[in-house]
Amino acid sequence: MDFGLVLQTDPPASAVVELMQRAERQGFTHGWTFDSAVLWQEPFVIYSRILEHTQRLVVGPMVTNPGTRTWEVTASTFATLNDMYGQRTVCGIGRGDSAMRVAGRKPNTLARLGEAIDTIRDLAEGREAEVDGQPLRIPWVKDGKLPIWMAAYGPKALALAGQKADGFILQLADPYLTEWMVKAVRTAAADAGRDPASITVCVAAPAYVGDDLAHAREQCRWFGGMVGNHVADLVSRYGEHSDVIPEALTAYIRERHGYDYSHHGRAGNPSTDFVPDEIVDRFCLLGPAEAHIEKLRVLRELGVDQFAVYNMHDAKEATIDAYGELVIPALNG
């Protein structure tokens, strides 16, 4: 199993680079960041520094979207990083939550997202693609390679991931929901004539190693609020009691009342007081290292190829080190 580290690009950027270096030393293979231009610093600038100061780490956004950058700019940026540092990028992409809503825009449609996946991949790998009716090709790209992993929760998005994406990003670590969603993605892949096993599965969630479970929950409760934004969209589309979405995903947002993006993805987020302990425990990895190892083994059996640690809490270095010294060796030793 691979391991990734997910950070927000809060200033100073040097601290983000240092944490990514630490993660690589501890056996992490991927370095991910949020991508929301108003809330945090520009990630692609920082990726260049991360790549320069690491040897093997693969970097990318978790996740970008088709709306805040034109598709040829996104493709050219990835292709440039790959040309400078080797094939060490991955494009995580979704409809857009904070990046779009903070700027007063709605998340992209799935149709637009599907078109963007094909176009960005083709351009970044040196093939011709059409952007706004204009055929384009980036002439300097030679032997380009850009895997595109799509974030999804709902049935139509899961189907799109199976049809088009190289990888599937699931932003929660509940085994029941993981099994249900991985099955949906792989079924869609098979129906589209693709090899279901070729799709990389990445589960991303907060991890907090320690014996003080109450404190760990408070440090990670924000994650239930972040997931709740996407769940609220699903409930508005399909209803709370739908036969296409598990109630294990939707029931907890009944007490949700709005969301303030100024606290997005941060410990102590006041917009997440509706998130119960049970959801924090299900969606995150908490407790001593042994508890993390046990849950990760279950996820691995369900087909998860990578676990990406959301590291937005008061024990960033300690979590990276605990994973490097205890958890990663137990899964890969």
Side-chain angles (χ1 to χ4, degrees):
M1 177 181 272
D2 284 339
F3 287 83
L5 182 72
V6 190
L7 299 174
Q8 293 169 337
T9 50
D10 290 314
S14 58
V16 177
V17 176
E18 289 169 2
L19 286 170
M20 291 298 188
Q21 289 177 298
R22 190 185 197 111
E24 184 180 62
R25 290 195 300 269
Q26 291 288 14
F28 288 73
T29 60
H30 287 67
W32 303 91
T33 74
F34 281 36
D35 177 17
S36 190
V38 174
L39 296 178
W40 301 287
Q41 293 186 329
E42 172 54 39
F44 286 93
V45 176
I46 299 172
Y47 294 156
S48 189
R49 294 287 289 175
I50 294 170
L51 289 165
E52 183 180 1
H53 288 86
T54 56
Q55 284 72 53
R56 300 170 303 281
L57 206 67
V58 175
V59 304
M62 189 175 281
V63 294
T64 193
N65 71 86
T68 52
R69 294 178 180 83
T70 59
W71 302 349
E72 71 273 19
V73 169
T74 298
S76 181
T77 303
F78 277 109
T80 300
L81 291 172
N82 284 336
D83 186 64
M84 293 173 68
Y85 300 106
Q87 303 294 329
R88 293 172 57 197
T89 68
V90 56
C91 177
I93 196 167
R95 293 176 61 227
D97 178 32
S98 63
M100 296 296 287
R101 297 185 204 269
V102 167
R105 307 183 187 109
K106 294 181 179 179
N108 296 271
T109 65
L110 287 174
R112 181 171 171 80
L113 176 56
E115 186 181 353
I117 288 172
D118 290 337
T119 301
I120 291 168
R121 185 196 289 115
D122 282 344
L123 290 173
E125 296 185 349
R127 295 183 294 277
E128 183 178 289
E130 193 171 284
V131 180
D132 296 329
Q134 177 68 33
L136 297 176
R137 188 178 71 83
I138 302 175
W140 52 264
V141 175
K142 309 297 181 187
D143 302 318
K145 187 67 178 175
L146 180 64
I148 298 185
W149 298 6
M150 180 184 154
Y153 292 108
K156 292 181 180 179
L158 294 168
L160 181 63
Q163 292 158 6
K164 291 185 177 290
D166 303 296
F168 163 49
I169 296 172
L170 174 57
Q171 292 163 308
L172 53 79
D174 174 72
Y176 171 77
L177 292 173
T178 298
E179 182 176 21
W180 185 83
M181 293 186 186
V182 169
K183 180 180 179 181
V185 169
R186 288 185 168 158
T187 297
D191 290 345
R194 305 179 68 199
D195 177 7
S198 69
I199 299 174
T200 303
V201 176
C202 174
V203 160
Y208 198 107
V209 181
D211 295 324
D212 188 342
L213 191 55
H215 180 74
R217 285 171 175 154
E218 291 311 310
Q219 287 294 305
C220 298
R221 197 175 304 277
W222 62 266
F223 185 66
M226 188 184 85
V227 174
N229 294 329
H230 303 284
V231 175
D233 285 346
L234 294 175
V235 169
S236 68
R237 187 173 300 116
Y238 296 104
E240 183 180 340
H241 304 288
S242 169
D243 58 359
V244 297
I245 309 170
E247 192 168 348
L249 177 62
T250 61
Y252 83 98
I253 68 161
R254 289 170 186 154
E255 301 303 319
R256 179 181 182 270
H257 303 287
Y259 189 84
D260 181 355
Y261 279 92
S262 66
H263 304 283
H264 188 57
R266 300 186 186 278
N269 186 338
S271 298
T272 60
D273 55 359
F274 70 93
V275 180
D277 288 350
E278 181 245 347
I279 286 293
V280 183
D281 292 349
R282 281 174 45 206
F283 286 10
C284 305
L285 275 74
L286 312 174
E290 292 77 13
H292 294 242
I293 293 165
E294 180 180 356
K295 191 168 187 178
L296 287 167
R297 284 175 173 157
V298 171
L299 292 171
R300 185 174 61 184
E301 288 299 313
L302 295 174
V304 175
D305 301 295
Q306 180 181 147
F307 176 61
V309 176
Y310 275 109
N311 206 29
M312 297 85 180
H313 48 56
D314 63 3
K316 294 181 178 67
E317 292 85 355
T319 298
I320 293 170
D321 292 347
Y323 263 68
E325 294 164 12
L326 300 171
V327 178
I328 294 175
L331 271 293
N332 295 336

